[in-house]
Amino acid sequence: MMEHSILWLLAAVGIGLLGLSFRFLSPREVWLSFLLNAYISSLAGLIVSGAGMLAYPVRLFPDYTNDSVIFEYLLYPVVSVYVYGTSRRSGWKGIWMQCAAYTGGMTAVEILLERHTDLIEYHTWKWGYSFVSMFVVTLAVRVMAGRLLKENG
C-alpha cells in the first residue's frame, strides 16, 4: 500500500533530520525543543482526533492509537528543533516569520496528503486550523526552549 510506504519514508526522513540536528545544536537544545513539542502536540492531537475532527485512516500502530504517531512524535518535534536552531540569533520578527514559514510548509504538505492519500482525512477540521494551531505551538515551544536554555544554560 502506497500510504504505508509514505509513512516509512517520512519516518526515515524524520530520524535522519533528528540525527543531523546534533551536528549544529547541543544535545540539550535538541532534546528540549523535541520533547516540549512532542508533549504539546501529542496532547493536542489526542483532543482533535478524539473529538472526531479529523482521522488518520492509514497509520502506524492502528491497534494502539488513533493518532499520527509519525507526525506527533517525530516529524513535528523535529521541525521544532530546526525552528529553534535556525532562529537562535533572531529577534521577535525573525522568530515569528520562521515559525510562519515552517508552519506554512507543514500545512502545505498536510493539504497534499489529505487530498491525495488516506493518511489524513478532515471531518470538521480545516487546513486553516492546522496552520493556526501549529503556528501557536511552534512559537510557544520556540519561546519556552529559548527561555529555559538561556535561564539554565
Side-chain angles (χ1 to χ4, degrees), residues 23-83:
R23 294 185 53 85
F24 66 93
L25 293 171
S26 72
R28 187 173 181 205
E29 292 170 309
V30 171
W31 290 122
L32 183 63
S33 298
F34 185 91
L35 294 172
L36 278 172
N37 181 283
Y39 179 75
I40 294 169
S41 66
S42 66
L43 179 61
L46 285 171
I47 293 168
V48 170
S49 64
M53 297 177 79
L54 55 82
Y56 303 100
V58 177
R59 62 191 179 277
L60 295 183
F61 314 115
D63 294 337
Y64 303 103
T65 182
N66 291 326
D67 298 330
S68 176
V69 173
I70 297 294
F71 179 74
E72 292 170 8
Y73 296 102
L74 178 62
L75 295 173
Y76 189 23
V78 166
V79 168
S80 278
V81 171
Y82 280 80
V83 169

Short mmCIF file of all heavy atoms in Angstrom, two decimals, residues 23-83:
data_model
loop_
_atom_site.label_atom_id
_atom_site.label_comp_id
_atom_site.label_asym_id
_atom_site.label_seq_id
_atom_site.Cartn_x
_atom_site.Cartn_y
_atom_site.Cartn_z
N ARG A 23 24.45 17.83 14.76
CA ARG A 23 25.68 18.38 14.18
C ARG A 23 25.78 19.89 14.40
O ARG A 23 26.87 20.44 14.37
CB ARG A 23 25.79 18.04 12.71
CG ARG A 23 25.95 16.54 12.48
CD ARG A 23 26.18 16.18 11.04
NE ARG A 23 27.27 16.88 10.39
CZ ARG A 23 28.55 16.52 10.42
NH1 ARG A 23 28.91 15.47 11.12
NH2 ARG A 23 29.46 17.20 9.77
N PHE A 24 24.63 20.57 14.58
CA PHE A 24 24.71 22.02 14.76
C PHE A 24 24.06 22.53 16.05
O PHE A 24 24.11 23.72 16.34
CB PHE A 24 24.14 22.77 13.54
CG PHE A 24 22.68 22.58 13.31
CD1 PHE A 24 21.76 23.47 13.83
CD2 PHE A 24 22.20 21.52 12.55
CE1 PHE A 24 20.40 23.31 13.61
CE2 PHE A 24 20.85 21.36 12.32
CZ PHE A 24 19.94 22.27 12.85
N LEU A 25 23.48 21.62 16.83
CA LEU A 25 22.91 22.01 18.12
C LEU A 25 23.42 21.06 19.20
O LEU A 25 23.74 19.90 18.91
CB LEU A 25 21.38 21.94 18.09
CG LEU A 25 20.65 22.94 17.19
CD1 LEU A 25 19.17 22.58 17.11
CD2 LEU A 25 20.82 24.35 17.72
N SER A 26 23.43 21.53 20.43
CA SER A 26 23.83 20.67 21.53
C SER A 26 22.71 19.66 21.80
O SER A 26 21.54 19.93 21.50
CB SER A 26 24.09 21.50 22.79
OG SER A 26 22.87 21.99 23.32
N PRO A 27 23.06 18.52 22.40
CA PRO A 27 22.01 17.56 22.76
C PRO A 27 20.92 18.19 23.64
O PRO A 27 19.74 17.88 23.49
CB PRO A 27 22.77 16.46 23.51
CG PRO A 27 24.15 16.52 22.95
CD PRO A 27 24.40 17.98 22.68
N ARG A 28 21.32 19.08 24.50
CA ARG A 28 20.35 19.75 25.38
C ARG A 28 19.35 20.58 24.57
O ARG A 28 18.14 20.56 24.84
CB ARG A 28 21.12 20.63 26.35
CG ARG A 28 20.28 21.24 27.40
CD ARG A 28 21.19 21.94 28.40
NE ARG A 28 20.37 22.52 29.44
CZ ARG A 28 20.73 23.53 30.14
NH1 ARG A 28 21.91 24.08 29.98
NH2 ARG A 28 19.93 24.02 31.06
N GLU A 29 19.85 21.32 23.57
CA GLU A 29 18.96 22.12 22.73
C GLU A 29 18.03 21.23 21.91
O GLU A 29 16.83 21.50 21.79
CB GLU A 29 19.79 23.01 21.79
CG GLU A 29 20.55 24.10 22.49
CD GLU A 29 21.53 24.78 21.57
OE1 GLU A 29 22.34 24.10 20.90
OE2 GLU A 29 21.50 26.03 21.52
N VAL A 30 18.57 20.17 21.34
CA VAL A 30 17.78 19.26 20.51
C VAL A 30 16.68 18.63 21.35
O VAL A 30 15.49 18.68 21.00
CB VAL A 30 18.66 18.16 19.87
CG1 VAL A 30 17.80 17.09 19.21
CG2 VAL A 30 19.64 18.77 18.87
N TRP A 31 17.05 18.00 22.46
CA TRP A 31 16.07 17.25 23.23
C TRP A 31 15.03 18.14 23.89
O TRP A 31 13.85 17.77 23.99
CB TRP A 31 16.74 16.34 24.25
CG TRP A 31 17.44 15.19 23.58
CD1 TRP A 31 18.75 14.87 23.68
CD2 TRP A 31 16.86 14.23 22.68
NE1 TRP A 31 19.03 13.77 22.90
CE2 TRP A 31 17.89 13.36 22.28
CE3 TRP A 31 15.58 14.03 22.18
CZ2 TRP A 31 17.67 12.29 21.40
CZ3 TRP A 31 15.36 12.98 21.30
CH2 TRP A 31 16.39 12.12 20.92
N LEU A 32 15.43 19.32 24.34
CA LEU A 32 14.45 20.21 24.95
C LEU A 32 13.40 20.64 23.93
O LEU A 32 12.19 20.53 24.18
CB LEU A 32 15.12 21.44 25.58
CG LEU A 32 14.16 22.38 26.30
CD1 LEU A 32 13.49 21.69 27.49
CD2 LEU A 32 14.89 23.62 26.78
N SER A 33 13.82 21.11 22.77
CA SER A 33 12.87 21.51 21.72
C SER A 33 12.02 20.32 21.28
O SER A 33 10.80 20.43 21.13
CB SER A 33 13.61 22.07 20.51
OG SER A 33 14.33 23.22 20.85
N PHE A 34 12.66 19.19 21.08
CA PHE A 34 11.97 17.99 20.60
C PHE A 34 10.91 17.52 21.59
O PHE A 34 9.75 17.30 21.24
CB PHE A 34 13.00 16.88 20.36
CG PHE A 34 12.43 15.64 19.74
CD1 PHE A 34 12.40 15.48 18.36
CD2 PHE A 34 11.93 14.62 20.53
CE1 PHE A 34 11.88 14.33 17.79
CE2 PHE A 34 11.41 13.46 19.96
CZ PHE A 34 11.38 13.32 18.59
N LEU A 35 11.28 17.38 22.85
CA LEU A 35 10.37 16.84 23.84
C LEU A 35 9.25 17.81 24.22
O LEU A 35 8.11 17.38 24.47
CB LEU A 35 11.13 16.37 25.07
CG LEU A 35 12.06 15.17 24.82
CD1 LEU A 35 12.92 14.89 26.04
CD2 LEU A 35 11.26 13.94 24.41
N LEU A 36 9.54 19.10 24.27
CA LEU A 36 8.48 20.08 24.52
C LEU A 36 7.41 19.98 23.44
O LEU A 36 6.21 19.94 23.72
CB LEU A 36 9.04 21.50 24.55
CG LEU A 36 9.68 21.99 25.84
CD1 LEU A 36 10.35 23.34 25.62
CD2 LEU A 36 8.64 22.09 26.94
N ASN A 37 7.85 19.92 22.18
CA ASN A 37 6.89 19.84 21.09
C ASN A 37 6.13 18.52 21.12
O ASN A 37 4.91 18.51 20.93
CB ASN A 37 7.58 20.03 19.74
CG ASN A 37 6.59 19.98 18.62
OD1 ASN A 37 6.12 18.91 18.23
ND2 ASN A 37 6.24 21.13 18.09
N ALA A 38 6.82 17.42 21.32
CA ALA A 38 6.15 16.11 21.33
C ALA A 38 5.08 16.07 22.41
O ALA A 38 3.98 15.54 22.18
CB ALA A 38 7.17 14.99 21.54
N TYR A 39 5.35 16.63 23.56
CA TYR A 39 4.39 16.63 24.66
C TYR A 39 3.15 17.44 24.28
O TYR A 39 2.01 16.97 24.41
CB TYR A 39 5.03 17.19 25.93
CG TYR A 39 4.09 17.24 27.09
CD1 TYR A 39 3.74 16.07 27.77
CD2 TYR A 39 3.54 18.44 27.51
CE1 TYR A 39 2.86 16.11 28.84
CE2 TYR A 39 2.66 18.49 28.58
CZ TYR A 39 2.32 17.32 29.23
OH TYR A 39 1.45 17.37 30.30
N ILE A 40 3.35 18.66 23.81
CA ILE A 40 2.23 19.54 23.49
C ILE A 40 1.44 19.01 22.29
O ILE A 40 0.21 18.96 22.31
CB ILE A 40 2.71 20.98 23.25
CG1 ILE A 40 3.29 21.57 24.53
CG2 ILE A 40 1.57 21.85 22.72
CD1 ILE A 40 4.03 22.87 24.35
N SER A 41 2.15 18.60 21.24
CA SER A 41 1.44 18.16 20.03
C SER A 41 0.70 16.85 20.25
O SER A 41 -0.36 16.63 19.67
CB SER A 41 2.38 18.07 18.83
OG SER A 41 3.34 17.07 19.00
N SER A 42 1.24 15.97 21.09
CA SER A 42 0.52 14.72 21.36
C SER A 42 -0.76 14.99 22.13
O SER A 42 -1.80 14.38 21.86
CB SER A 42 1.41 13.72 22.10
OG SER A 42 1.71 14.17 23.40
N LEU A 43 -0.73 15.91 23.06
CA LEU A 43 -1.93 16.27 23.81
C LEU A 43 -2.97 16.89 22.87
O LEU A 43 -4.15 16.50 22.88
CB LEU A 43 -1.60 17.24 24.94
CG LEU A 43 -2.77 17.71 25.79
CD1 LEU A 43 -3.46 16.54 26.48
CD2 LEU A 43 -2.28 18.72 26.82
N ALA A 44 -2.54 17.82 22.03
CA ALA A 44 -3.46 18.46 21.09
C ALA A 44 -4.01 17.43 20.10
O ALA A 44 -5.20 17.45 19.78
CB ALA A 44 -2.74 19.58 20.34
N GLY A 45 -3.16 16.53 19.63
CA GLY A 45 -3.60 15.50 18.69
C GLY A 45 -4.64 14.57 19.28
O GLY A 45 -5.59 14.19 18.60
N LEU A 46 -4.45 14.21 20.54
CA LEU A 46 -5.44 13.36 21.22
C LEU A 46 -6.81 14.04 21.27
O LEU A 46 -7.84 13.41 21.04
CB LEU A 46 -4.98 13.05 22.64
CG LEU A 46 -3.87 12.04 22.81
CD1 LEU A 46 -3.40 12.02 24.26
CD2 LEU A 46 -4.33 10.67 22.38
N ILE A 47 -6.80 15.32 21.55
CA ILE A 47 -8.06 16.06 21.66
C ILE A 47 -8.74 16.16 20.29
O ILE A 47 -9.93 15.86 20.15
CB ILE A 47 -7.81 17.46 22.27
CG1 ILE A 47 -7.37 17.31 23.73
CG2 ILE A 47 -9.06 18.34 22.14
CD1 ILE A 47 -6.82 18.59 24.34
N VAL A 48 -7.98 16.56 19.28
CA VAL A 48 -8.55 16.77 17.95
C VAL A 48 -9.04 15.47 17.32
O VAL A 48 -10.16 15.40 16.83
CB VAL A 48 -7.52 17.48 17.04
CG1 VAL A 48 -7.99 17.52 15.60
CG2 VAL A 48 -7.26 18.90 17.54
N SER A 49 -8.22 14.44 17.36
CA SER A 49 -8.66 13.17 16.76
C SER A 49 -9.72 12.50 17.63
O SER A 49 -10.66 11.88 17.12
CB SER A 49 -7.49 12.23 16.51
OG SER A 49 -6.86 11.84 17.71
N GLY A 50 -9.62 12.66 18.95
CA GLY A 50 -10.63 12.10 19.85
C GLY A 50 -11.99 12.74 19.67
O GLY A 50 -13.02 12.10 19.85
N ALA A 51 -12.00 14.01 19.29
CA ALA A 51 -13.26 14.71 19.04
C ALA A 51 -13.82 14.39 17.66
O ALA A 51 -14.91 14.86 17.31
CB ALA A 51 -13.05 16.22 19.19
N GLY A 52 -13.08 13.63 16.87
CA GLY A 52 -13.55 13.24 15.55
C GLY A 52 -13.43 14.34 14.50
O GLY A 52 -14.04 14.25 13.44
N MET A 53 -12.63 15.36 14.78
CA MET A 53 -12.48 16.46 13.82
C MET A 53 -11.67 16.03 12.60
O MET A 53 -11.86 16.57 11.51
CB MET A 53 -11.84 17.66 14.50
CG MET A 53 -12.69 18.23 15.62
SD MET A 53 -11.90 19.59 16.48
CE MET A 53 -12.20 20.90 15.31
N LEU A 54 -10.77 15.10 12.80
CA LEU A 54 -10.02 14.53 11.69
C LEU A 54 -9.67 13.10 12.05
O LEU A 54 -9.80 12.69 13.20
CB LEU A 54 -8.78 15.36 11.34
CG LEU A 54 -7.74 15.69 12.40
CD1 LEU A 54 -6.77 14.53 12.60
CD2 LEU A 54 -6.96 16.90 11.95
N ALA A 55 -9.25 12.36 11.05
CA ALA A 55 -8.91 10.96 11.27
C ALA A 55 -7.68 10.61 10.45
O ALA A 55 -7.33 11.30 9.48
CB ALA A 55 -10.07 10.06 10.86
N TYR A 56 -7.03 9.56 10.88
CA TYR A 56 -5.86 9.02 10.18
C TYR A 56 -6.20 7.59 9.77
O TYR A 56 -5.89 6.64 10.49
CB TYR A 56 -4.64 9.05 11.10
CG TYR A 56 -4.32 10.44 11.61
CD1 TYR A 56 -4.70 10.83 12.90
CD2 TYR A 56 -3.68 11.36 10.81
CE1 TYR A 56 -4.42 12.10 13.37
CE2 TYR A 56 -3.40 12.65 11.27
CZ TYR A 56 -3.77 13.00 12.55
OH TYR A 56 -3.50 14.27 13.01
N PRO A 57 -6.87 7.41 8.62
CA PRO A 57 -7.31 6.07 8.21
C PRO A 57 -6.17 5.06 8.09
O PRO A 57 -6.34 3.90 8.46
CB PRO A 57 -7.98 6.31 6.85
CG PRO A 57 -8.37 7.76 6.86
CD PRO A 57 -7.31 8.44 7.69
N VAL A 58 -5.03 5.50 7.56
CA VAL A 58 -3.85 4.63 7.47
C VAL A 58 -2.80 5.23 8.39
O VAL A 58 -2.42 6.39 8.24
CB VAL A 58 -3.33 4.53 6.02
CG1 VAL A 58 -2.07 3.68 5.97
CG2 VAL A 58 -4.40 3.97 5.10
N ARG A 59 -2.34 4.43 9.35
CA ARG A 59 -1.36 4.93 10.33
C ARG A 59 -0.57 3.76 10.88
O ARG A 59 -0.96 2.61 10.73
CB ARG A 59 -2.07 5.69 11.45
CG ARG A 59 -3.04 4.82 12.24
CD ARG A 59 -3.93 5.63 13.16
NE ARG A 59 -4.84 4.78 13.87
CZ ARG A 59 -5.99 4.33 13.40
NH1 ARG A 59 -6.39 4.68 12.20
NH2 ARG A 59 -6.76 3.55 14.12
N LEU A 60 0.52 4.09 11.52
CA LEU A 60 1.29 3.06 12.20
C LEU A 60 0.62 2.75 13.53
O LEU A 60 0.02 3.62 14.16
CB LEU A 60 2.73 3.54 12.45
CG LEU A 60 3.58 3.77 11.21
CD1 LEU A 60 4.99 4.18 11.62
CD2 LEU A 60 3.63 2.56 10.31
N PHE A 61 0.70 1.52 13.96
CA PHE A 61 0.15 1.06 15.23
C PHE A 61 -1.35 1.32 15.37
O PHE A 61 -1.80 1.85 16.38
CB PHE A 61 0.92 1.68 16.41
CG PHE A 61 2.40 1.64 16.24
CD1 PHE A 61 3.12 2.82 16.12
CD2 PHE A 61 3.08 0.43 16.18
CE1 PHE A 61 4.51 2.78 15.96
CE2 PHE A 61 4.45 0.39 16.03
CZ PHE A 61 5.18 1.56 15.91
N PRO A 62 -2.15 0.96 14.36
CA PRO A 62 -3.59 1.26 14.41
C PRO A 62 -4.33 0.56 15.54
O PRO A 62 -5.39 1.03 15.95
CB PRO A 62 -4.10 0.79 13.04
CG PRO A 62 -3.11 -0.24 12.61
CD PRO A 62 -1.78 0.22 13.17
N ASP A 63 -3.78 -0.54 16.06
CA ASP A 63 -4.44 -1.23 17.17
C ASP A 63 -4.24 -0.52 18.51
O ASP A 63 -4.90 -0.84 19.49
CB ASP A 63 -3.92 -2.67 17.30
CG ASP A 63 -4.29 -3.52 16.10
OD1 ASP A 63 -5.28 -3.18 15.40
OD2 ASP A 63 -3.60 -4.52 15.84
N TYR A 64 -3.31 0.43 18.54
CA TYR A 64 -2.95 1.06 19.81
C TYR A 64 -3.29 2.55 19.91
O TYR A 64 -3.35 3.09 21.00
CB TYR A 64 -1.46 0.87 20.08
CG TYR A 64 -1.07 -0.58 20.09
CD1 TYR A 64 -0.42 -1.14 18.99
CD2 TYR A 64 -1.40 -1.41 21.15
CE1 TYR A 64 -0.08 -2.49 18.99
CE2 TYR A 64 -1.07 -2.75 21.14
CZ TYR A 64 -0.40 -3.29 20.06
OH TYR A 64 -0.09 -4.61 20.05
N THR A 65 -3.43 3.21 18.77
CA THR A 65 -3.68 4.65 18.80
C THR A 65 -4.44 5.10 17.56
O THR A 65 -4.33 4.47 16.51
CB THR A 65 -2.36 5.44 18.93
OG1 THR A 65 -2.66 6.83 19.00
CG2 THR A 65 -1.43 5.20 17.75
N ASN A 66 -5.19 6.17 17.70
CA ASN A 66 -5.89 6.78 16.57
C ASN A 66 -5.13 7.97 16.02
O ASN A 66 -5.61 8.65 15.14
CB ASN A 66 -7.30 7.23 17.00
CG ASN A 66 -8.19 6.06 17.29
OD1 ASN A 66 -8.09 5.01 16.66
ND2 ASN A 66 -9.07 6.21 18.26
N ASP A 67 -3.97 8.24 16.58
CA ASP A 67 -3.18 9.42 16.22
C ASP A 67 -2.14 9.10 15.16
O ASP A 67 -1.81 7.96 14.90
CB ASP A 67 -2.48 9.99 17.46
CG ASP A 67 -3.47 10.45 18.50
OD1 ASP A 67 -4.57 10.87 18.13
OD2 ASP A 67 -3.13 10.38 19.69
N SER A 68 -1.58 10.16 14.61
CA SER A 68 -0.49 10.04 13.66
C SER A 68 0.82 10.03 14.43
O SER A 68 1.40 11.08 14.73
CB SER A 68 -0.51 11.20 12.66
OG SER A 68 0.60 11.10 11.81
N VAL A 69 1.28 8.85 14.77
CA VAL A 69 2.48 8.69 15.59
C VAL A 69 3.69 9.34 14.92
O VAL A 69 4.47 10.04 15.58
CB VAL A 69 2.74 7.19 15.87
CG1 VAL A 69 4.06 6.98 16.56
CG2 VAL A 69 1.60 6.60 16.68
N ILE A 70 3.84 9.13 13.63
CA ILE A 70 4.99 9.69 12.90
C ILE A 70 5.00 11.22 12.99
O ILE A 70 6.03 11.83 13.22
CB ILE A 70 4.97 9.25 11.42
CG1 ILE A 70 5.11 7.73 11.30
CG2 ILE A 70 6.05 9.96 10.61
CD1 ILE A 70 6.43 7.19 11.75
N PHE A 71 3.83 11.84 12.81
CA PHE A 71 3.79 13.30 12.85
C PHE A 71 3.97 13.84 14.26
O PHE A 71 4.84 14.68 14.49
CB PHE A 71 2.47 13.82 12.26
CG PHE A 71 2.37 15.32 12.31
CD1 PHE A 71 3.10 16.10 11.45
CD2 PHE A 71 1.57 15.95 13.26
CE1 PHE A 71 3.05 17.48 11.51
CE2 PHE A 71 1.51 17.33 13.33
CZ PHE A 71 2.25 18.10 12.45
N GLU A 72 3.18 13.35 15.20
CA GLU A 72 3.15 13.94 16.53
C GLU A 72 4.38 13.63 17.39
O GLU A 72 4.73 14.41 18.27
CB GLU A 72 1.89 13.51 17.27
CG GLU A 72 0.64 14.11 16.65
CD GLU A 72 -0.65 13.54 17.20
OE1 GLU A 72 -0.59 12.76 18.16
OE2 GLU A 72 -1.71 13.87 16.65
N TYR A 73 4.99 12.49 17.14
CA TYR A 73 6.13 12.09 17.99
C TYR A 73 7.48 12.14 17.28
O TYR A 73 8.49 11.87 17.92
CB TYR A 73 5.89 10.69 18.55
CG TYR A 73 4.70 10.62 19.47
CD1 TYR A 73 3.49 10.09 19.03
CD2 TYR A 73 4.78 11.11 20.76
CE1 TYR A 73 2.39 10.05 19.87
CE2 TYR A 73 3.68 11.07 21.60
CZ TYR A 73 2.49 10.54 21.15
OH TYR A 73 1.40 10.50 21.98
N LEU A 74 7.48 12.45 15.99
CA LEU A 74 8.77 12.51 15.29
C LEU A 74 8.88 13.74 14.39
O LEU A 74 9.70 14.62 14.64
CB LEU A 74 8.99 11.23 14.48
CG LEU A 74 10.29 11.17 13.66
CD1 LEU A 74 11.51 11.25 14.59
CD2 LEU A 74 10.33 9.91 12.83
N LEU A 75 8.06 13.83 13.36
CA LEU A 75 8.24 14.88 12.36
C LEU A 75 8.03 16.29 12.92
O LEU A 75 8.87 17.17 12.72
CB LEU A 75 7.32 14.64 11.16
CG LEU A 75 7.62 13.39 10.35
CD1 LEU A 75 6.55 13.18 9.30
CD2 LEU A 75 9.00 13.49 9.70
N TYR A 76 6.90 16.50 13.57
CA TYR A 76 6.64 17.84 14.10
C TYR A 76 7.66 18.23 15.18
O TYR A 76 8.18 19.35 15.16
CB TYR A 76 5.20 17.93 14.57
CG TYR A 76 4.73 19.31 14.96
CD1 TYR A 76 5.34 20.47 14.47
CD2 TYR A 76 3.65 19.47 15.81
CE1 TYR A 76 4.89 21.73 14.84
CE2 TYR A 76 3.19 20.72 16.18
CZ TYR A 76 3.82 21.85 15.70
OH TYR A 76 3.37 23.09 16.06
N PRO A 77 8.00 17.33 16.11
CA PRO A 77 9.05 17.69 17.07
C PRO A 77 10.40 18.00 16.40
O PRO A 77 11.11 18.91 16.83
CB PRO A 77 9.14 16.46 17.97
CG PRO A 77 7.76 15.89 17.94
CD PRO A 77 7.31 16.09 16.52
N VAL A 78 10.73 17.29 15.33
CA VAL A 78 11.98 17.58 14.62
C VAL A 78 11.91 18.97 14.00
O VAL A 78 12.90 19.72 14.02
CB VAL A 78 12.28 16.50 13.55
CG1 VAL A 78 13.36 16.97 12.58
CG2 VAL A 78 12.71 15.21 14.21
N VAL A 79 10.75 19.35 13.47
CA VAL A 79 10.60 20.69 12.92
C VAL A 79 10.86 21.73 14.00
O VAL A 79 11.53 22.74 13.75
CB VAL A 79 9.21 20.88 12.27
CG1 VAL A 79 8.94 22.34 11.96
CG2 VAL A 79 9.11 20.04 11.01
N SER A 80 10.38 21.50 15.21
CA SER A 80 10.64 22.45 16.31
C SER A 80 12.12 22.58 16.62
O SER A 80 12.59 23.66 16.97
CB SER A 80 9.87 22.04 17.57
OG SER A 80 8.56 22.49 17.50
N VAL A 81 12.85 21.49 16.49
CA VAL A 81 14.29 21.54 16.68
C VAL A 81 14.92 22.48 15.65
O VAL A 81 15.75 23.33 15.98
CB VAL A 81 14.92 20.13 16.59
CG1 VAL A 81 16.44 20.21 16.57
CG2 VAL A 81 14.42 19.25 17.73
N TYR A 82 14.49 22.35 14.40
CA TYR A 82 15.04 23.20 13.35
C TYR A 82 14.59 24.65 13.48
O TYR A 82 15.36 25.57 13.20
CB TYR A 82 14.71 22.62 11.97
CG TYR A 82 15.65 21.49 11.62
CD1 TYR A 82 15.46 20.22 12.13
CD2 TYR A 82 16.77 21.73 10.84
CE1 TYR A 82 16.35 19.19 11.86
CE2 TYR A 82 17.67 20.70 10.56
CZ TYR A 82 17.46 19.44 11.07
OH TYR A 82 18.35 18.43 10.81
N VAL A 83 13.36 24.88 13.94
CA VAL A 83 12.92 26.25 14.20
C VAL A 83 13.82 26.87 15.25
O VAL A 83 14.29 28.00 15.09
CB VAL A 83 11.43 26.29 14.64
CG1 VAL A 83 11.06 27.68 15.18
CG2 VAL A 83 10.51 25.90 13.51
#
